[in-house]
Amino acid sequence: MCRTGQEPDPPEAGKTTTDAAFTALLEDSAEDLYEAAPCGYLSTLMDGTIAKINTTLLDWLGLQREAVVGRLRFPDLLTVGGKLYHETHFAPLLRMQGELRGIALEMKGTDGRRLPVLVSSVVKHGTEGEPLLIRTTVFDASDRRAYEQELLRRRKEAEDARAEAERAHAEAEAARRQAEADRERLSAAIAVLQQSLVPSTLPAVPGLEAAVYYHTASPDRLGGDFYDLFPLAEGRWAFFLGDVSGKGPQAASLTSLTRYTLRAAALHDHEPAAALATLNAVLHERYTAGGDPRFCTVIFGVIEPPDPGGRTRLRLASGGHPPALVMRANGQADYLPTPGGLLVGALPAAPFSTAQTTLAPGDTLLLYTDGLTEARTGPTREHLFGDDALRAFATDHAPATPQAMISALTGLLERFGDGLDDDTALLALGVPSTHPTQSPVTNQLQ
């Protein structure tokens, strides 16, 4: 096609021009295409040692080739969280499947800058099927991260707009109805997201009963409490319960990171204190070190296989969380001290220590968040329920199965009424008197 008043180019002249352009493109050498590609390339030995890396990736990270090739491993280019994910998920899956595509990680530059990337790797095999090396492609995902942050910002704007609509609902019935419809849609979305942040059900643990209850203070805001119960190797089980700082989408993001980090850390090291130390390093690097301090309180425990008499040993570590409450079969109830725990993520290095207890048949361990003990009581709501009142309540109900204790506490929370203004999570674990091999598990979410 040509502009009015101009003669079209002769067909042969156009073809000659196109052929010349393609010929110029084909003059680039394979080495130039590799080094100056718009994405990062590197090849590593099977142990991760970097054997080759292109200029693009070196420039992104501010590194020199002689300081990388043969000296660093691929995980050395990642952040602390990225290293943990690489060792516990990425590398094992790559060995099993032979390739992985589009995995989100973060790399660190020499200036401390964090570079979000998407990584794809494939194992190159020899003629006899033996793995020789790993070829990896790295794409800059900064725009994708910015897009995710923009979504969070837009979500906050939507919440602000909904709140404004609710304040103006008295001006007109039509406006009130529209605001109410918006509120219902948002609540439904938050409820679905809230369900995704905690297990839909708890697994059955051999030799134990488990019961859980989760109360959200407001249906319009994402809660910050979390819990989990999952299997480890050699018949062990891990559990945790905690509370993150803040509310809303940011708290949900922190909750998700906390849960998956603790799960991965527990699979890597079964010591409760080690799991909290790993979480502390990840949260501090991700938030506090970047000038956006966020932290959580959490109590983490490991359940050992029961002995022939049905007794089960538990090892626990706490990061600034209220202590666990143990109710014995003889009717006694008291707190299990877990000293030395600081808020997780607040400091670059925080000391954590491990305590232990043994649950005999008829004993129950209760974990809870501070929404329970900080509930306001009395006619004027001036007093907190407190630790002493909780211990007295537990003593009055001991001995109690996990389900019986959760049911009693659920009734207590309902009696608090508007004095319960914070999210509250309850998790009870107990050894049944009859020693069943598979025990019932109860979940409640309000």
Side-chain angles (χ1 to χ4, degrees), residues 117-138:
V117 296
L118 293 177
V119 175
S120 297
S121 293
V122 61
V123 177
K124 178 182 178 182
H125 295 85
T127 56
E128 297 182 1
E130 73 281 8
L132 299 179
L133 55 83
I134 301 171
R135 289 174 173 166
T136 298
T137 305
V138 180

Side-chain angles (χ1 to χ4, degrees), residues 261-262 274-286 342-352:
T261 299
L262 283 176
L276 293 189
T278 298
L279 176 62
N280 185 80
V282 171
L283 295 189
H284 188 272
E285 181 184 9
R286 178 71 176 270
L342 299 177
L343 290 175
V344 181
L347 298 176
F352 301 105

Side-chain angles (χ1 to χ4, degrees), residues 203-225:
V205 182
L208 279 183
E209 291 181 0
V212 68
Y213 177 76
Y214 190 17
H215 166 81
T216 53
S218 171
D220 298 330
R221 301 187 69 182
L222 287 166
D225 292 359

Side-chain angles (χ1 to χ4, degrees), residues 218-235:
S218 171
D220 298 330
R221 301 187 69 182
L222 287 166
D225 292 359
F226 59 91
Y227 60 85
D228 209 343
L229 174 65
F230 55 95
L232 302 176
E234 300 175 349

Side-chain angles (χ1 to χ4, degrees), residues 416-435:
F416 287 149
D418 59 5
L420 184 63
D421 57 3
D422 195 7
D423 305 319
T424 303
L426 307 172
L427 175 64
L429 305 170
V431 178
S433 300
T434 53
H435 320 311

Side-chain angles (χ1 to χ4, degrees), residues 107 118 141 145 152 154 172 175 269 278 284 304 318 367 388 427:
M107 307 187 85
L118 293 177
R145 178 64 57 83
L152 288 176
R154 291 299 180 91
D269 190 331
T278 298
H284 188 272
E304 299 291 338
S318 175
L367 305 180
D388 292 338
L427 175 64

Side-chain angles (χ1 to χ4, degrees), residues 28-45:
D28 288 341
S29 68
E31 185 66 21
D32 288 340
L33 292 175
Y34 177 86
E35 292 294 339
C39 61
Y41 289 118
L42 71 159
S43 299
T44 68
L45 305 181

